[in-house]
Each structure stands twice: as structure tokens, then as C-alpha cells.
């Protein structure tokens, strides 16, 4: 009798608890999630209570730009790669709607690593073209999580661009920063080689071999360079939410010229380390990095598996404006001739001229990706090591002559041996630049010979093609 009474009491308590939960869920305030395309991040959640957050995400299969002159059929969450950034608060009830546009050719679903449940929501969100699915979950674990499509073949859906990030903001929030940015690395596998023009199909063979044609930030080569660079001001604190969609490669995320003050490894909420140079981001994983910018300039974001940065596209820029701090970083103080075994007081300080306005954008990007690390961002070179391109008598003599094919040869075949530039001798090696189309060669040569005080006739694709026949 006592046992029966006890069971009845327990059953009643559970029933009351369930009714209470249902009531509380119904009483939650409702808000629509603010979703953003990379590199933007939704506003910080400032409320101190849980809410019912409605997320609407649409799948679209679209043709877009992977690199200059290179198109690809991306499968997307929200029309772009990566998918839109989702931000909720720990403890929120998330009502998730996944729509598959009627123009899609395939069904899709979504696996959110923030979801505790079968398939991370994938089993509940399988959606045919022209249909819409809904499921609900509670964001019980704070952190930065990847989401991706999990429809078979999963690798192909991910490789075609179906991934993004969802931040479950801790209840107590995170330390405030001045700027937040969304950066997601991924690897693409095309039938054509790097830079091959036109609409490129997906290569399953390369994907299985993990032989990436492109490794990029935010869906395309140059997505965060030039006028698309992210920005900050001296003295500000910057936070990057970094994800890796993969599908295969692990990222070695690094910002050249900066040290991460704080790193939340693998997207967790516990501060794991301070003063970090490079942090690993696994495929299907994430990280959060914070740092203060102390000096102005352009800081380069790379995957420090370095050929990916300068030969496959994993390169971005953070442009910082503000006053210089000579105590933290002086800039070049001495530029003098170095002779082994002897010192020379002779100094040859030079200032680079500002670039002209009439260069082609693709040439600027190609220069940044392939040449700037040696010849420097303003073409000033490194004295005694890498010759200057700015106001270069050597460069201009060839560019303005009838034998301009020599510059094409230097780009494609490299250059070794002694040369004299602006009266100074250089004896180093320039390695060939691979993966460039004829148009790419024309663009980068046009940019270099018409920037920083240089002036020469434009190089054309036909001129490069003709020059190659005699190489």
C-alpha cells in the first residue's frame, strides 16, 4: 500500500514538472534570430533570460565565384558560403526551420554540433526541394559550433559549401570586445587545376585523395583581401570566431604580425591559453581568438600550412588604422649595404610611392597572394635580398621595351643570378609562380608595372600567350 502510494506521488510530481516545463516554454518571449553572412557577426545577446528563438535558414544551390574567372556550383545555407552565422544564448529554446528552395536539385538537411539529439537535427530536418522542415532543441551547451549538411554522400554536400557556425553564447556572456568577425576555412576540389577558368565541376577523386585545389577563407579566393578586408582601429580589441568546414584539412590559423591574447580552443567556453601564435582548428571544429591591435598596418590572416595561403587561397587581411607606436614597433630604422665581414655606414633609405588608381583588382590580389611576402606590400623589396619593384629601372627598362616577354618568363620560370636594380646588385632566387592562367599573368604584370610610380603599357592575355610559345 505504501509502495503504491509512493509511486502515485512520484507520478504526480513528474506530471506537475512536465506541465510546468510546458507552461514555462509557452511563456518564453519569442524573437527571430538575426543571421549574418561572413565576415559579419550578429549582435551580442544582452538579455539575461532565456527566450524562444526562431531560426529560418534556406538552402540554395547557386553558381558563384570561387576565384577570379572561376565559377563553381555551391550548395549553401543562405545563398553564400559559408552559411549564415547563428547566435543564441545558453538555455534558449531554438525553433529551427530549414527550407529547401524549389530550384534545388537535391534534398538537404542540417546537423548542428550544438544540438543534443540524433544526427544533431539531421534526422528531423531532411528536406526535399520545395519543402520546409521544423524541429526544436534547447541550447544546453555554450560554445562555438559548426553546422553542416549530413545528407548522403555527406562529404560531397560539405565539400560543396554546406557549413557554417552557431554560437551558443554563455549565460553570463563573454568578455566584451570592440569588433567581432566570422572567418571560416574550407577546402574545395575541382576537376580543373588552380586558376583554371570557367565553371568547374566537383572532383570526387581529388576529394577522396584529400588533394585540395583551393583552400580558402569565407568561400572564395580573395574574400577577405583588398576592399573586402576586415578592419579595426589601434587600441581596439578584436575577436575572430573561426570555423573549419573542411571537409578534410586541419587549419593552422595564424595572423601575421599579431599574437592571440586569448584562445578558446576548439570553440569551448573555457579560456584555454594566452599569448598564442598559431592555433589548430580541426575539420568540423572551431576556435575563438581575442587580441588587441596596438599598431597600424595590414595584418595577414593565413593557414600557416603556408602553401595553402600563397598558392591555394587561404589568405585574408585585417586593416588597422590609427597612430603609430614606435615603442612597440619602430618600422624600418636602417637600410644599409651589408658586406660579409665588414660593416658599412652607408644608408639607402627609400620611401615607396603610393600605388596608382588604374590597376586591375585581380592583379592586386595576385600580387598579394604570390609576391608581397618577398617584394613587400608597396613593392619596396628588402635591400640586398629582394629587389624593389617600386620605381625599378630594371623592371621599367623591360616593360617599356620590345622584349617584354622576359617579364613573362620571370613570372613563369623564375629568375636566378645577379641583376642590378637602381644601382644595387642582387643575387638571389625568385621561384616560379605556378597555377596562373595567361590572364592572371597579364593582370599581375600590369599591376606591378603600373603601381608605385611605375608606368608601362598594359599586358594582355594574348601577349602572354604569344610570349609563352617562345619560352
Amino acid at each position: 500500500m505504501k509502495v503504491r502510494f509512493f509511486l502515485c506521488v512520484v507520478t504526480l510530481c513528474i506530471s506537475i514538472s512536465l506541465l510546468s516545463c510546458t507552461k514555462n516554454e509557452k511563456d518564453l518571449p519569442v524573437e527571430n534570430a538575426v543571421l549574418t553572412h561572413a565576415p559579419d557577426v550578429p549582435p551580442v545577446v544582452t538579455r539575461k533570460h532565456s527566450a524562444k528563438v526562431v531560426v529560418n535558414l534556406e538552402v540554395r544551390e547557386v553558381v558563384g565565384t570561387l576565384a577570379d574567372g572561376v565559377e563553381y556550383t555551391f550548395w549553401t545555407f543562405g545563398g553564400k558560403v559559408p552559411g549564415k552565422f547563428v547566435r543564441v544564448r545558453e538555455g534558449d529554446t531554438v525553433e529551427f526551420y530549414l527550407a529547401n528552395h524549389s530550384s534545388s536539385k537535391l534534398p538537404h538537411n542540417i546537423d548542428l554540433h550544438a544540438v543534443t539529439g540524433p544526427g544533431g537535427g539531421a534526422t528531423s530536418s531532411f528536406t526535399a526541394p520545395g519543402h520546409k522542415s521544423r524541429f526544436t532543441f534547447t541550447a544546453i551547451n555554450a560554445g562555438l559550433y559548426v553546422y553542416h549538411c549530413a545528407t548522403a554522400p555527406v562529404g560531397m554536400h560539405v565539400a560543396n559549401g554546406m557549413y557554417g557556425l552557431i554560437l551558443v553564447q554563455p549565460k553570463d556572456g563573454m568578455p566584451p570586445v570592440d569588433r567581432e568577425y566570422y572567418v571560416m576555412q574550407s577546402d574545395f576540389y575541382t576537376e580543373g587545376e588552380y586558376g583554371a577558368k570557367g565553371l568547374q565541376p566537383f572532383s570526387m577523386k581529388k576529394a577522396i585523395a584529400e588533394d585540395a585545389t583551393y583552400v580558402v577563407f569565407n568561400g572564395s579566393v580573395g574574400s577577405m583581401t583588398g576592399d573586402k578586408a576586415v578592419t579595426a582601429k589601434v587600441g581596439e580589441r578584436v575577436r575572430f570566431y573561426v570555423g573549419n568546414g573542411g571537409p578534410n584539412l586541419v587549419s593552422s590559423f595564424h595572423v601575421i604580425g599579431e599574437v592571440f591574447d586569448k584562445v578558446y580552443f576548439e570553440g569551448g567556453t573555457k579560456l584555454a591559453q594566452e599569448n598564442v601564435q598559431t592555433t589548430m582548428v580541426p575539420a568540423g571544429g572551431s576556435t575563438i581568438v581575442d587580441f588587441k591591435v596596438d599598431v597600424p598596418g595590414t595584418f595577414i590572416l593565413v593557414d600557416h600550412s603556408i602553401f595553402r595561403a600563397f598558392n591555394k587561397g587561404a589568405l585574408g587581411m585585417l586593416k588597422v588604422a590609427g597612430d603609430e607606436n614606435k615603442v612597440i614597433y619602430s618600422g624600418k630604422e636602417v637600410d644599409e649595404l651589408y658586406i660579409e665581414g665588414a660593416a658599412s655606414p652607408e644608408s639607402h633609405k627609400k620611401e615607396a610611392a603610393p600605388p596608382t588608381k588604374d590597376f586591375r583588382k585581380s592583379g592586386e590580389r595576385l600580387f598579394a597572394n604570390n609576391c608581397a611576402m618577398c617584394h613587400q606590400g608597396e613593392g619596396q623589396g628588402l635591400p640586398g635580398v629582394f629587389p624593389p619593384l617600386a620605381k625599378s629601372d630594371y623592371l621599367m627598362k623591360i616593360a617599356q621595351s620590345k622584349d617584354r616577354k622576359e617579364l613573362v618568363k620571370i613570372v613563369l620560370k623564375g629568375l636566378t643570378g645577379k641583376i642590378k636594380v637602381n644601382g644595387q646588385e642582387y643575387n638571389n632566387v625568385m621561384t616560379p609562380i605556378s597555377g596562373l592562367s595567361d590572364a592572371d599573368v597579364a593582370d599581375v604584370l600590369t599591376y606591378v608595372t603600373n603601381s608605385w610610380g611605375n608606368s608601362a603599357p598594359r599586358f594582355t592575355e594574348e601577349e602572354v600567350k604569344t610570349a609563352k610559345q617562345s619560352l
Side-chain angles (χ1 to χ4, degrees):
M1 189 69 178
K2 290 182 178 180
V3 173
R4 185 181 298 172
F5 176 75
F6 176 75
L7 291 174
C8 289
V9 171
V10 171
T11 302
L12 179 61
C13 289
I14 292 173
S15 299
I16 292 171
S17 178
L18 290 173
L19 286 171
S20 176
C21 287
T22 303
K23 184 176 184 298
N24 289 340
E25 184 178 324
K26 288 181 178 178
D27 290 343
L28 288 175
V30 179
E31 61 182 53
N32 291 316
V34 176
L35 309 180
T36 57
H37 288 296
D40 296 327
V41 178
V44 174
V45 179
T46 57
R47 54 182 162 79
K48 302 300 182 182
H49 56 270
S50 296
K52 180 179 180 179
V53 182
V54 180
V55 176
N56 284 283
L57 198 56
E58 182 187 56
V59 172
R60 280 181 176 262
E61 300 169 9
V62 298
V63 174
T65 299
L66 181 55
D68 284 344
V70 182
E71 292 187 320
Y72 191 82
T73 301
F74 297 99
W75 300 349
T76 75
F77 290 110
K80 294 183 179 181
V81 176
K84 291 186 176 182
F85 196 106
V86 183
R87 188 173 200 153
V88 298
R89 180 179 179 270
E90 180 185 2
D92 282 348
T93 297
V94 182
E95 188 173 276
F96 202 101
Y97 292 85
L98 185 70
N100 192 354
H101 196 270
S102 58
S103 63
S104 296
K105 294 180 173 61
L106 296 168
H108 299 282
N109 63 7
I110 190 166
D111 168 7
L112 299 108
H113 292 183
V115 170
T116 301
T123 58
S124 303
S125 60
F126 186 80
T127 310
H131 288 253
K132 188 176 186 178
S133 300
R134 184 189 77 189
F135 66 98
T136 302
F137 70 94
T138 300
I140 61 177
N141 298 111
L144 180 65
Y145 299 94
V146 167
Y147 66 78
H148 61 88
C149 186
T151 301
V154 178
M156 184 177 182
H157 284 249
V158 175
N160 283 336
M162 300 196 76
Y163 38 74
L165 290 179
I166 175 170
L167 174 66
V168 181
Q169 185 179 298
K171 287 181 179 179
D172 297 329
M174 297 182 68
V177 293
D178 299 292
R179 297 178 189 256
E180 296 184 318
Y181 291 113
Y182 172 20
V183 182
M184 195 148 201
Q185 182 172 317
S186 52
D187 27 297
F188 285 90
Y189 303 83
T190 62
E191 291 286 353
E193 295 304 308
Y194 182 93
K197 303 302 183 184
L199 182 61
Q200 290 296 316
F202 166 73
S203 170
M204 180 64 82
K205 182 178 180 180
K206 283 186 179 180
I208 292 172
E210 301 186 6
D211 179 18
T213 318
Y214 296 87
V215 185
V216 300
F217 293 139
N218 291 349
S220 65
V221 176
S223 67
M224 297 180 67
T225 63
D227 57 5
K228 297 178 183 177
V230 294
T231 61
K233 296 179 180 178
V234 169
E236 291 183 330
R237 297 203 65 84
V238 178
R239 175 172 294 149
F240 284 141
Y241 296 103
V242 184
N244 184 4
N248 290 321
L249 304 180
V250 173
S251 172
S252 303
F253 186 71
H254 176 77
V255 177
I256 300 174
E258 265 298 348
V259 174
F260 303 140
D261 298 334
K262 299 178 180 179
V263 175
Y264 300 83
F265 286 153
E266 298 180 354
T269 52
K270 183 178 180 180
L271 175 59
Q273 190 56 277
E274 297 179 340
N275 303 324
V276 175
Q277 59 191 313
T278 302
T279 188
M280 301 295 285
V281 190
S286 65
T287 192
I288 304 170
V289 299
D290 293 2
F291 57 95
K292 180 185 176 185
V293 285
D294 296 297
V295 296
T298 298
F299 297 83
I300 308 299
L301 286 61
V302 296
D303 179 341
H304 215 298
S305 299
I306 210 70
F307 278 100
R308 298 177 188 171
F310 297 105
N311 297 84
K312 294 194 173 187
L315 185 147
M317 295 179 179
L318 169 66
K319 293 186 176 180
V320 179
D323 296 331
E324 294 185 352
N325 185 332
K326 296 292 187 179
V327 174
I328 292 178
Y329 182 70
S330 70
K332 184 185 288 293
E333 295 178 308
V334 175
D335 179 358
E336 62 184 24
L337 183 65
Y338 170 73
I339 302 174
E340 290 85 347
S344 171
E346 188 177 1
S347 179
H348 304 280
K349 295 182 179 179
K350 300 177 183 178
E351 293 185 3
T356 58
K357 298 288 186 181
D358 59 347
F359 51 79
R360 295 172 65 176
K361 286 186 177 180
S362 61
E364 181 182 20
R365 178 191 62 76
L366 289 162
F367 177 82
N369 286 358
N370 296 283
C371 315
M373 286 299 290
C374 294
H375 293 289
Q376 305 298 293
E378 301 298 323
Q380 66 268 38
L382 292 174
V385 184
F386 300 113
L389 303 179
K391 297 182 179 179
S392 165
D393 56 0
Y394 176 86
L395 185 67
M396 286 298 95
K397 182 179 179 180
I398 301 173
Q400 295 171 351
S401 73
K402 295 181 179 180
D403 197 25
R404 285 154 52 98
K405 66 181 181 182
E406 185 64 25
L407 292 182
V408 177
K409 180 181 178 181
I410 291 173
V411 171
L412 297 178
K413 300 292 185 180
L415 181 66
T416 59
K418 295 180 181 180
I419 62 171
K420 185 173 286 189
V421 181
N422 297 343
Q424 186 172 353
E425 188 175 274
Y426 293 83
N427 187 10
N428 211 318
V429 176
M430 174 181 164
T431 58
I433 303 175
S434 61
L436 299 185
S437 67
D438 294 347
D440 289 339
V441 175
D443 288 351
V444 73
L445 284 175
T446 296
Y447 174 74
V448 168
T449 57
N450 287 275
S451 299
W452 321 301
N454 297 333
S455 179
R458 289 194 178 278
F459 284 79
T460 66
E461 184 176 355
E462 190 60 36
E463 182 180 6
V464 172
K465 190 177 298 184
T466 301
K468 285 171 65 176
Q469 294 174 356
S470 60
L471 298 183

